[in-house]
Amino acid sequence: MIAVAVGNRNDLRERTRLKSLTAESCGSLQPLCTNHFTIVDQGIPFSLFELSEKNFERKEGEKGKKFELYEPPTDPFSSLNEDPKLIIGDAGNSHKHLLNKFNVLKDHTLLITKKFQPQEGPLTAEDLKVLYQNVVELPAVGFYNSGPISGASQRHRHMQLVPCDALPAHNSHHFSSTLDKLVSMALSVCDVNPGSTFIIPQFNFRHSVRVLPQEEIQKDESLLKHYYDSMLNEIGFSFLSQRRNTCGTIS
């Protein structure tokens, strides 16, 4: 699930930027070195990042193993293991906002649940509320990788945010205009009622799109969960945790 908002820099964006600078200077934040490519497919520019070999080289005089890409199997988001230098602050009563320790994009942050929730399950109403609020406030692109197949390396639930002004190669205005153009083109060729879901023909993967009615959501944030569940059902998607409950243990 991806949410996008474009707006002006604000206090949350500035606090995120300053926290990143401080955390990197003391070594808590460890940005990954990458090679960046832009590939255009059906008129859509996609940014790709390839890990550089520099990540795996020992620094001069450094002993022991080479750089390890992921955290050890313990929960790095638990209160016992968390690094306070990465924490931006609370995000509501049930979530925390912190920096992504091994970031590729600048000021990439995470929204984590304070109590353990599995990454392989669907987002709750509270998850969606917090994600939406931060996407709008930063503003940012927000997404959720559920489980290892989609790229999640941690079992503790975390949603991800990339500030629009940190997107590579294409500034936030270009990113927004590209997305708006795709949506407008899709609506022009699809018979879509106002408020209904639709697909973008250039996306050759299973997906569903809905333009969120911001004024309605501000009045009733429970609509986010309703839209989320109905769109997942529409494309026939189920989470690993749901399949386990239905079919027993999956080998």
Side-chain angles (χ1 to χ4, degrees), residues 4 6 173-187:
V4 181
V6 176
H173 173 73
H174 183 91
F175 179 85
S176 178
S177 62
T178 299
L179 192 62
D180 287 344
K181 187 182 298 183
L182 289 171
V183 169
S184 297
M185 290 173 60
L187 290 173

Side-chain angles (χ1 to χ4, degrees), residues 165-200:
D165 60 15
L167 295 171
H170 312 288
N171 60 34
S172 59
H173 173 73
H174 183 91
F175 179 85
S176 178
S177 62
T178 299
L179 192 62
D180 287 344
K181 187 182 298 183
L182 289 171
V183 169
S184 297
M185 290 173 60
L187 290 173
S188 69
V189 299
C190 300
D191 184 16
V192 180
N193 295 321
S196 299
T197 59
F198 57 95
I199 64 170
I200 293 178

Side-chain angles (χ1 to χ4, degrees), residues 111-130:
L111 293 168
I112 67 166
T113 55
K114 291 181 180 179
K115 294 183 180 180
F116 179 86
Q117 296 291 336
Q119 188 73 3
E120 296 174 345
L123 295 176
T124 65
E126 189 65 21
D127 291 331
L128 291 163
K129 174 183 174 181
V130 169

Side-chain angles (χ1 to χ4, degrees), residues 30 32 54-57 65-70 102:
Q30 299 179 26
L32 298 176
K54 293 180 180 179
N55 292 302
F56 305 97
E57 295 174 355
K65 295 182 179 180
K66 295 182 180 180
F67 175 88
E68 292 184 0
L69 182 57
Y70 299 117
F102 300 114

Side-chain angles (χ1 to χ4, degrees), residues 11 78 195 217 243:
D11 179 60
S78 72
I217 290 173
R243 297 197 297 272

